[in-house]
Amino acid sequence: MQIGRKIYYEKSTGNVIQDTGELQGNVVATTVEQDFLTYITLNGRVMDSVGVVQLNYGDYAQDFITCSGYSVDVATNKLVFTYPDANNPTAQPINQPSYEDRLSAVEQVIL
């Protein structure tokens, strides 16, 4: 069995509170309520102030490998990744949509 990661974030800012990671093997999917009891970062928070993005196993794999951080766009509920500038490693990282979203946008222009 393969379970995709859940990313919990503050609804007001989009800042990530907890990333459950991906799981595979002899694992059981958990509910949001179970996660709030299990993870210290969620325990004690008001559930209505926390959003969650549920991903499928393997979603955004390349982005998670290469990014230097990520958050959630609270207007769209989509992940926004931060990447270092390869041409200027000391520069402030750049926020961008995922590789998948950028590729989809290019495909729509081409087609």
Side-chain angles (χ1 to χ4, degrees):
M1 176 169 206
Q2 295 179 326
I3 299 173
R5 65 179 75 215
K6 284 186 260 182
I7 298 173
Y8 290 92
Y9 65 95
E10 294 177 346
K11 285 183 177 179
S12 61
T13 64
N15 292 335
V16 174
I17 302 167
Q18 180 68 50
D19 181 338
T20 63
E22 295 182 320
L23 304 170
Q24 68 177 349
N26 190 18
V27 294
V28 177
T30 59
T31 65
V32 170
E33 291 79 12
Q34 289 171 320
D35 290 346
F36 267 80
L37 294 172
T38 303
Y39 293 100
I40 294 170
T41 54
L42 297 174
N43 194 283
R45 288 188 180 261
V46 177
M47 287 182 78
D48 290 341
S49 69
V50 177
V52 62
V53 175
Q54 172 72 56
L55 301 177
N56 293 317
Y57 189 87
D59 281 355
Y60 304 110
Q62 185 63 35
D63 294 288
F64 285 112
I65 290 169
T66 58
C67 77
S68 58
Y70 54 96
S71 60
V72 177
D73 180 333
V74 296
T76 64
N77 201 37
K78 288 191 171 196
L79 294 176
V80 178
F81 293 90
T82 305
Y83 304 96
D85 184 345
N87 296 324
N88 187 0
T90 59
Q92 186 72 14
I94 303 165
N95 288 334
Q96 296 182 15
S98 70
Y99 288 126
E100 292 174 15
D101 290 344
R102 287 184 281 161
L103 181 59
S104 292
V106 170
E107 288 174 343
Q108 289 176 359
V109 170
I110 294 173
L111 300 176

